[in-house]
Amino acid sequence: ITVVTWNVGTAMPPNDVTSLLHLNTGETNDADVIAIGLQEVNSKINKRLKDALFTDQWSELFMDVLSPFHFVLVSTVRMQGVILLVFAKYYHLPFLQDIQTDCTRTGLGGYWGNKGGVSIRLSIFGHMVCFLNCHLPAHLEKAEQRKEDFATILHMQQFEGHAASGILDHDLVFWFGDLNFRIESLDIRFVKYAVDSNILSQLWEKDQLNIAKSTWPVLSGFQEGPLNFPPTFKFDVGTNKYDSSAKKRKPAWTDRILWKIKSPTVGFGASGRRPSQGILSVSQLCYCSHMEYTISDHKPVAAIFAVQFASKADKPPVEIYVADEWSRPEQAVVRYKMAAGFHRSSWDWIGLYRVGFRHPKDYVSYVWARSDDGERCLEKQLCAQVMFSEEALPKGKGEYILGYYSNTSSSIAGVTEPFQISLPRSEEGSSPTDSSGSSSEEEDDSTLVLLAPKSRSPSPGKMKRHRSRSPSLAKFQGLILRPSSRDRGTSRSPSPQSRCGLPGDIPTIHLPQEELGCCGAKAKEPGRAADSQEGSPFYQTVREQCGPRRISADNPLARADPRNLGLLPALRLEMIDQAMGRRRESVDQGYSCRRMTPTSPPSCSTSPKEGSSP
């Protein structure tokens, strides 16, 4: 387990953090889990609004750097400028369960989140582990205030379930952050002399945290490695020189990483046998600062731990079986088996991920884990089976991974080893719906996939009106943002509701009068006609006006994929060139008086009479 803490001082992220995360250090030191705690991330109003719409730049940076090393974001929590991220290798994900987050404000008497603590707790192979990132009050004379704030954080943060309701109830706790403890008594000149002369041990006994570990009951049991690196605060930004301003702050080890192992239960357990000793042990392999980063007045600190324990989980909650290669669409069959006691949900789904995916919502496509025979398969320990539709499969050749996402635990409960997908790329100009007309009525909705490749929208599960804590959309350059005509309260997640043609939620699409006049005639060029889709909002509107018919592929309305109307987000994003190009095409084809966006109202006299559409 690698733990990193860094007060970034509202700075922009650096170009590279590979050395900070101790990557490329060899097989023996490769981490399985990485926890990153940041403090003082820019949280001004305009920056927070942007981060609410898009993933913050620091999280993006760490996901970009870690995903090529097969790390996936397990969970993240933010409280103003305090952020905590936990990553793990993808093959460990099924064994990381019961993931919960919490935060406690201590600034301005508990009303402001510039100070306080954020935590992520989870079960790792059956052992409860908690990561706690804190930013405590500053200044030399605030030692007692730091003690009170830490006690408040421990008291306020409570988790669901009986396994570990409080922070100190966990089998292992990592406590880190800008704890702001200073060096007492010693003069600034002596402190700098000790640092320059590399006699740091003469400063340890005056360190406030070292003193507190032996005198504060709240810190009983917390351990820390030797401070064999220079004090990490305060530096002139852009340099490795300590504070040269008029304040001339005394150097101090403000940025720390500690851990605590839960004391074994005294006496006998419920079974009448004495609990086993030494189930979990921790040894620190590295504890160092990184002087090469100069964007902040703090230096980042990293620690690597080797944690040994007896695994309490030998098999994942869901086992997935798949062929070694999919070279034809009919091979895209997924069989999965749920362990006894697994809490399945009708909102569970199986995602198809590229190798190197960043987080559980970073899927290429997904298929619902069907519920019609799910209970029977779970009860009798049988394998259930689903199939990806042809249009949902990525074209070309690449390595992919399947993951079963549990809506109940909000985590991945099963993954496969990487396998190959080798499908021929479709020729340009060919209609993607050529083969869908004959099978659209027989298709099982539970396996229907209507998600564009590289989508990073929230998962297809929850129909609740709350913000997802998962990472949101990436940064896009050169976009036009237009508000949708749909109700803002509607979920943005692709869900079964998005496949149903609900008239109340459908933008009306009007046809010109000359086109309405020929509604009864059938299309004479089937090669150029768009296939009708059952349940499509666009084709329902046409049928209600003049009965079922096919629309020519040359018609601009046919180019608006009706299947995606139900998947539009609250803000529709268009590339500027594409939007302008679409308008030019509409002018060239004689529709100059009509806006061709499917959510726009008609703006010309050739629209149908009032009341003719739902």
Side-chain angles (χ1 to χ4, degrees):
I1 297 179
T2 298
V3 178
V4 174
T5 178
W6 193 3
N7 183 322
V8 299
T10 71
M12 294 288 289
N15 294 327
D16 185 31
V17 289
T18 304
S19 63
L20 174 62
L21 300 174
H22 291 253
L23 302 173
N24 291 326
T25 57
E27 292 295 331
T28 55
N29 289 332
D30 275 355
D32 297 289
V33 177
I34 296 179
I36 302 168
L38 304 176
Q39 307 87 38
E40 290 193 24
V41 175
N42 190 342
S43 56
K44 293 181 180 179
I45 295 298
N46 60 337
K47 193 68 172 64
R48 287 308 310 274
L49 290 174
K50 188 182 298 183
D51 290 346
L53 292 173
F54 308 104
T55 309
D56 69 273
Q57 293 172 305
W58 283 95
S59 299
E60 284 282 349
L61 169 68
F62 287 114
M63 285 191 288
D64 288 341
V65 171
L66 287 171
S67 58
F69 293 89
H70 305 298
F71 282 98
V72 178
L73 181 66
V74 176
S75 184
T76 180
V77 58
R78 178 172 185 174
M79 180 184 68
Q80 285 185 215
V82 185
I83 297 180
L84 176 59
L85 307 104
V86 173
F87 293 85
K89 290 289 181 69
Y90 77 89
Y91 44 79
H92 292 316
L93 294 179
F95 302 98
L96 310 180
Q97 298 297 316
D98 198 6
I99 303 168
Q100 299 181 43
T101 64
D102 204 353
C103 60
T104 303
R105 299 177 179 87
T106 59
L108 293 180
Y111 289 98
W112 195 242
N114 63 322
K115 296 292 191 294
V118 296
S119 63
I120 295 175
R121 84 85 172 267
L122 67 164
S123 169
I124 301 180
F125 288 91
H127 296 269
M128 302 306 298
V129 179
C130 182
F131 297 94
L132 174 62
N133 174 29
C134 291
H135 191 190
L136 299 183
H139 305 305
L140 177 68
E141 66 277 6
K142 295 291 183 68
E144 283 297 320
Q145 184 64 48
R146 288 188 276 273
K147 171 186 173 181
E148 293 177 9
D149 284 8
F150 181 55
T152 299
I153 292 169
L154 294 180
H155 174 72
M156 294 292 293
Q157 298 207 3
Q158 299 291 319
F159 303 97
E160 297 178 0
H162 303 289
S165 57
I167 290 178
L168 298 183
D169 296 329
H170 290 74
D171 298 320
L172 177 60
V173 177
F174 290 100
W175 175 39
F176 51 96
D178 180 4
L179 307 184
N180 258 321
F181 288 98
R182 307 304 171 98
I183 297 175
E184 290 186 344
S185 306
L186 300 177
D187 182 74
I188 183 174
R189 288 172 295 183
F190 178 79
V191 172
K192 288 187 175 181
Y193 167 77
V195 172
D196 293 339
S197 304
N198 197 26
I199 49 175
L200 302 175
S201 58
Q202 296 192 19
L203 307 178
W204 294 346
E205 62 182 14
K206 296 299 183 180
D207 176 75
Q208 288 180 334
L209 182 54
N210 284 338
I211 297 171
K213 281 188 287 188
S214 59
T215 57
W216 293 0
V218 71
L219 294 181
S220 176
F222 277 95
Q223 304 177 60
E224 184 183 19
L227 298 169
N228 289 325
F229 50 89
T232 55
F233 175 84
K234 171 180 175 137
F235 290 87
D236 292 335
V237 175
T239 73
N240 286 328
K241 297 180 180 179
Y242 287 106
D243 187 15
S244 62
S245 68
K247 294 183 178 180
K248 284 194 166 32
R249 298 244 174 84
K250 189 193 305 184
W253 286 289
T254 57
D255 309 279
R256 312 288 277 270
I257 300 173
L258 297 87
W259 75 94
K260 180 179 181 178
I261 302 174
K262 183 180 178 181
S263 301
T265 306
V266 179
F268 294 89
S271 62
R273 294 181 297 177
R274 185 176 298 276
S276 59
Q277 300 293 322
I279 295 178
L280 186 147
S281 66
V282 178
S283 58
Q284 192 176 64
L285 306 178
C286 172
Y287 192 26
C288 63
S289 66
H290 287 265
M291 299 291 288
E292 66 269 25
Y293 296 98
T294 61
I295 62 173
S296 169
D297 57 354
H298 290 252
K299 299 298 182 184
V301 175
I304 301 177
F305 300 91
V307 183
Q308 294 182 320
F309 49 79
S311 176
K312 297 180 181 179
D314 296 327
K315 289 186 177 181
V318 178
E319 295 181 87
I320 306 176
Y321 307 95
V322 67
D324 292 335
E325 183 178 4
W326 291 354
S327 56
R328 300 187 307 276
E330 56 268 22
Q331 291 178 319
V333 176
V334 182
R335 298 170 62 244
Y336 61 95
K337 181 179 180 182
M338 296 167 284
F342 175 71
H343 298 287
R344 65 175 303 278
S345 164
S346 58
W347 294 107
D348 291 354
W349 44 276
I350 297 175
L352 178 65
Y353 302 93
R354 287 184 175 86
V355 170
F357 67 103
R358 299 148 55 95
H359 51 81
K361 312 297 174 66
D362 190 20
Y363 46 75
V364 175
S365 61
Y366 69 89
V367 58
W368 295 104
R370 296 190 300 187
S371 58
D372 52 0
D373 59 350
E375 292 296 339
R376 181 178 62 86
C377 293
L378 179 59
E379 181 180 350
K380 297 186 178 181
Q381 290 294 283
L382 302 175
C383 284
Q385 179 174 300
V386 294
M387 185 173 181
F388 281 86
S389 63
E390 180 176 356
E391 57 189 16
L393 297 175
K395 302 302 184 287
K397 188 174 183 179
E399 278 196 320
Y400 293 84
I401 293 172
L402 288 170
Y404 184 105
Y405 187 88
S406 168
N407 185 69
T408 304
S409 62
S410 298
S411 62
I412 289 181
V415 294
T416 65
E417 290 294 325
F419 66 98
Q420 290 282 336
I421 294 183
S422 305
L423 296 176
R425 298 183 182 275
S426 57
E427 297 180 3
E428 289 189 16
S430 62
S431 173
T433 58
D434 286 343
S435 60
S436 61
S438 60
S439 60
S440 60
E441 295 186 8
E442 301 175 358
E443 186 173 14
D444 186 350
D445 277 352
S446 64
T447 61
L448 188 62
V449 182
L450 297 179
L451 197 63
K454 296 187 180 179
S455 170
R456 297 180 56 200
S457 60
S459 71
K462 303 180 180 179
M463 298 302 298
K464 300 177 184 178
R465 299 187 182 186
H466 66 81
R467 282 184 53 204
S468 172
R469 286 187 175 183
S470 63
S472 61
L473 294 172
K475 280 77 179 172
F476 295 103
Q477 300 295 331
L479 294 178
I480 298 177
L481 280 75
R482 297 175 183 166
S484 169
S485 61
R486 302 194 307 167
D487 183 5
R488 294 189 179 185
T490 306
S491 170
R492 299 186 184 186
S493 304
S495 64
Q497 290 187 6
S498 66
R499 305 189 217 109
C500 301
L502 299 178
D505 294 333
I506 300 170
T508 303
I509 301 177
H510 300 277
L511 298 176
Q513 291 289 351
E514 58 268 21
E515 291 186 9
L516 292 175
C518 58
C519 285
K522 295 184 178 179
K524 296 183 179 181
E525 296 179 275
R528 298 175 58 189
D531 290 329
S532 174
Q533 299 276 345
E534 289 296 324
S536 164
F538 171 69
Y539 290 97
Q540 283 183 357
T541 305
V542 175
R543 287 193 189 96
E544 292 188 19
Q545 289 178 353
C546 53
R549 70 182 183 89
R550 293 176 178 267
I551 305 298
S552 171
D554 288 340
N555 191 311
L557 291 174
R559 290 196 294 271
D561 190 352
R563 299 168 302 168
N564 293 330
L565 291 180
L567 297 176
L568 290 173
L571 289 177
R572 192 162 57 82
L573 309 179
E574 289 186 7
M575 298 303 298
I576 290 178
D577 294 339
Q578 294 176 355
M580 298 305 296
R582 190 179 301 114
R583 293 180 185 177
R584 286 194 294 268
E585 290 177 8
S586 65
V587 172
D588 295 341
Q589 296 184 15
Y591 299 105
S592 58
C593 63
R594 193 152 41 93
R595 293 182 63 182
M596 299 311 300
T597 54
T599 57
S600 303
S603 57
C604 67
S605 59
T606 59
S607 59
K609 294 181 180 180
E610 185 176 355
S612 62
S613 62

